Amino acid sequence: MYKYSEIINDLELQIVEDTYREGDKLPSIRELALRYDCNKSTVIRALQDLQDKHLIYAASKSGYYVMKRSGQRKEEGSHWIDFTASAPDPDIFPYLDFQHCINKAIDMYRKDLFIYGTPQGLPSLIREMQRQLASYQVFADPKQIFITSGVQQALGLLTRIPFPNGKERVLIEQPSYPLFMEYLKTYEIEAEGIRRSDDGVDLDELERLFKTGEFKFFYTVPRFHNPLGVSFTRNQKKAIAQLAAKYDVYIVEDDYMADLEQDAKQDPIYAYDNTSHVIYLKSFSKIIFPGLRVGVAVLPEVLCGSFNRFKRLMDIDSSMLSQAALELYLKSGMFERHRKKMRSCYGKRSMLLHDSIMKEANAASEEHYSYVPASQLGVHTYLKLEDNLRAEQMIKRLQKKSIRVELADSGYLSYFAKKERILKLNVSSVKEPDISSGIAQVIREIR
């Protein structure tokens, strides 16, 4: 099964990244069997899978060829290089796999689709989610697991429900999730920021704020932070969990990038929580596709009742069809295969992004910007710009060259005093051939 998955993932990525273009002939079955060190039947089965996905076609007595794709890349210079999009690459979406799960879900749950579900979520999905969460080192009782319409809904509910500590303010790292920034501003929720840097957060400053700030919770993205790309160390995660217990402040841990983790020893903050002060959030939008508005929240028991009550008033339940399809997608093993493919694809793009920036930095002196690579490379990184650089004009000039970049200003609270001039770079939707040329033009414009 491992070789079968490896062949499919590898060939599919090569087709997506244009290693094999429309009309190209794939290596023979014999050549592929030698390359992947497996028998011919495994190769034939993998090629049949790619044929079913309409990525290749078989020509009698000739071999297998790459099919034309509806999203075929345009000629060089006529398409955008977008370093701002954080959604997954549409060319890697598991369309056919998930379509199969949706069709099967309609058949299996046709009676349930015509009645309202429960605010907590589809019971069978919750059981499957319990198993899935355990692979992230998040062990929870099913009654603590809630299915939400994405992480955004969970955050909105958490800001509104009463907490046992009786506090109402929110502490949030800066920069952070732009939509949550906007939510806090729109609903006039009192919030304060703490600087997140390449080294994490200042734990002494965090302790001072926990001690004096009257915060109900601290919102943080522990790994592959957007836009910094950095992750907390194991010791930092332990320290944050200990401070939460000491000062009765809850941690809202948004672990939406957990599926890109390569180090099996890197656990979430939740794993170090001994006093039920960590709320774990996970989204599937960035790993499968944005239209799948299904997230999961793992809550301390003391919060389950009020969360359930507020959620019922907000939407009765999350989409039953999406929940049922995701359950089948997880159970079938399709998600695990897709996750491996995404790790491989994003790993290559992240390394290429890093190498491209370092190449440009070595080619000439680093003027007007600085770059500090993260210890773990993710799809996000950034360049820190000098204050006197006219970033807005630079961004407009790059737009004329069909390159999109943006500053991280929307990730800051408007009144946060320590804002930095950060140029966000994200390669989620940038093809490998475009990364080097795009970065070269970005840094050329900065200079």
Side-chain angles (χ1 to χ4, degrees):
M1 182 63 181
Y2 172 77
K3 287 293 182 182
Y4 165 71
S5 299
E6 182 185 356
I7 296 168
I8 293 174
N9 287 346
D10 196 30
L11 291 178
E12 194 169 343
L13 280 176
Q14 290 183 63
I15 293 170
V16 167
E17 296 292 354
D18 284 344
T19 302
Y20 294 120
R21 295 175 178 269
E22 176 192 348
D24 284 354
K25 182 180 180 181
L26 295 181
S28 68
I29 293 172
R30 178 184 173 83
E31 288 177 272
L32 290 173
L34 290 171
R35 178 186 298 180
Y36 293 102
D37 190 24
C38 64
N39 57 48
K40 293 181 182 179
S41 62
T42 301
V43 173
I44 293 170
R45 184 182 169 202
L47 292 173
Q48 183 61 53
D49 188 292
L50 293 172
Q51 193 172 356
D52 291 343
K53 292 183 176 184
H54 307 294
L55 292 175
I56 64 174
Y57 65 94
S60 180
K61 299 181 180 181
S62 178
Y64 289 87
Y65 294 82
V66 177
M67 290 188 68
K68 181 177 180 180
R69 287 168 282 152
S70 58
Q72 194 73 20
R73 282 160 43 84
K74 298 178 182 178
E75 293 301 315
E76 193 68 29
S78 63
H79 68 280
W80 283 87
I81 301 176
D82 191 351
F83 290 110
T84 67
S86 59
D89 185 343
D91 285 340
I92 315 177
F93 283 3
Y95 290 112
L96 294 175
D97 283 352
F98 210 81
Q99 182 183 42
H100 170 75
C101 291
I102 289 174
N103 291 337
K104 191 170 182 180
I106 292 173
D107 184 54
M108 286 181 61
Y109 292 96
R110 56 184 178 272
K111 293 181 180 178
D112 297 312
L113 296 177
F114 292 95
I115 61 174
Y116 289 116
T118 65
Q120 187 179 353
L122 184 66
S124 53
L125 174 59
I126 289 173
R127 290 191 295 272
E128 178 60 27
M129 195 63 72
Q130 182 187 30
R131 185 189 66 81
Q132 184 70 32
L133 288 167
S135 68
Y136 307 128
Q137 297 301 301
V138 175
F139 300 98
D141 189 283
K143 64 185 178 185
Q144 296 175 258
I145 300 172
F146 286 78
I147 306 302
T148 62
S149 299
V151 162
Q152 185 71 8
Q153 184 190 46
L155 288 173
L157 288 166
L158 290 169
T159 58
R160 292 183 172 275
I161 67 173
F163 272 53
N165 58 18
K167 303 168 185 177
E168 295 184 353
R169 302 182 73 216
V170 171
L171 179 64
I172 184 167
E173 57 193 9
Q174 299 285 277
S176 190
Y177 181 23
L179 280 178
F180 192 38
M181 298 293 98
E182 190 175 342
Y183 184 94
L184 295 172
K185 179 182 177 181
T186 300
Y187 289 96
E188 299 181 346
I189 295 165
E190 192 175 353
E192 187 169 342
I194 181 172
R195 181 174 177 266
R196 176 82 178 261
S197 70
D198 300 317
D199 299 320
V201 294
D202 185 328
L203 293 173
D204 291 333
E205 174 69 3
L206 186 66
E207 181 168 16
R208 184 189 68 78
L209 288 168
F210 277 13
K211 186 176 181 179
T212 63
E214 291 296 312
F215 296 108
K216 65 189 297 186
F217 68 74
F218 167 46
Y219 172 76
T220 181
V221 177
R223 46 186 160 190
F224 305 116
H225 181 276
N226 181 4
L228 305 181
V230 295
S231 302
F232 286 136
T233 65
R234 186 178 293 104
N235 288 336
Q236 287 171 333
K237 294 172 188 175
K238 289 180 180 178
I240 291 170
Q242 289 167 359
L243 289 174
K246 183 177 180 180
Y247 296 104
D248 195 19
V249 177
Y250 287 82
I251 307 298
V252 175
E253 178 180 21
D254 188 349
D255 203 15
Y256 79 106
M257 281 292 190
D259 296 298
L260 300 187
E261 182 63 73
Q262 301 280 2
D263 185 355
K265 296 181 180 179
Q266 287 296 334
D267 297 333
I269 301 172
Y270 187 95
Y272 305 109
D273 175 31
N274 298 317
T275 59
S276 296
H277 275 84
V278 177
I279 299 160
Y280 183 85
L281 305 182
K282 176 74 180 71
S283 169
F284 291 88
S285 298
K286 294 296 189 291
I287 193 71
I288 302 179
F289 50 85
L292 180 67
R293 301 305 302 153
V294 178
V296 60
V298 181
L299 306 174
E301 286 189 42
V302 71
L303 290 175
C304 291
S306 54
F307 191 92
N308 187 72
R309 185 171 67 256
F310 275 66
K311 187 176 185 300
R312 179 174 56 83
L313 293 172
M314 177 175 284
D315 68 353
I316 304 179
D317 62 10
S318 301
S319 166
M320 286 286 288
L321 181 57
S322 294
Q323 290 186 72
L326 179 59
E327 178 202 343
L328 295 172
Y329 190 64
L330 294 173
K331 280 183 176 179
S332 66
M334 292 178 183
F335 174 70
E336 184 57 35
R337 185 168 71 83
H338 175 68
R339 181 164 63 170
K340 288 179 180 177
K341 180 173 71 175
M342 295 293 279
R343 281 179 184 166
S344 174
C345 176
Y346 283 173
K348 291 176 183 176
R349 294 184 188 187
S350 302
M351 184 58 71
L352 187 54
L353 174 64
H354 165 74
D355 291 346
S356 299
I357 295 174
M358 294 303 295
K359 178 182 176 181
E360 293 299 321
N362 293 332
S365 60
E366 291 187 26
E367 297 178 359
H368 311 303
Y369 78 95
S370 60
Y371 169 65
V372 179
S375 57
Q376 279 188 300
L377 299 178
V379 293
H380 307 289
T381 193
Y382 73 100
L383 301 178
K384 185 177 178 182
L385 306 178
E386 289 186 356
D387 291 337
N388 61 353
L389 189 143
R390 297 179 178 180
E392 290 75 16
Q393 294 183 13
M394 176 199 69
I395 290 171
K396 289 180 180 178
R397 288 199 302 271
L398 284 168
Q399 283 181 334
K400 293 179 180 179
K401 297 180 179 181
S402 300
I403 297 174
R404 290 194 181 100
V405 293
E406 65 182 1
L407 297 175
D409 292 0
S410 60
Y412 285 100
L413 295 166
S414 59
Y415 44 82
F416 185 68
K418 300 177 182 178
K419 292 180 185 177
E420 295 184 295
R421 302 261 291 172
I422 288 176
L423 187 71
K424 299 165 59 177
L425 296 171
N426 187 313
V427 288
S428 296
S429 296
V430 184
K431 297 289 189 294
E432 285 186 29
D434 293 330
I435 294 174
S436 295
S437 61
I439 290 298
Q441 293 189 70
V442 169
I443 292 180
R444 191 177 302 127
E445 285 296 337
I446 291 175
R447 288 174 178 150

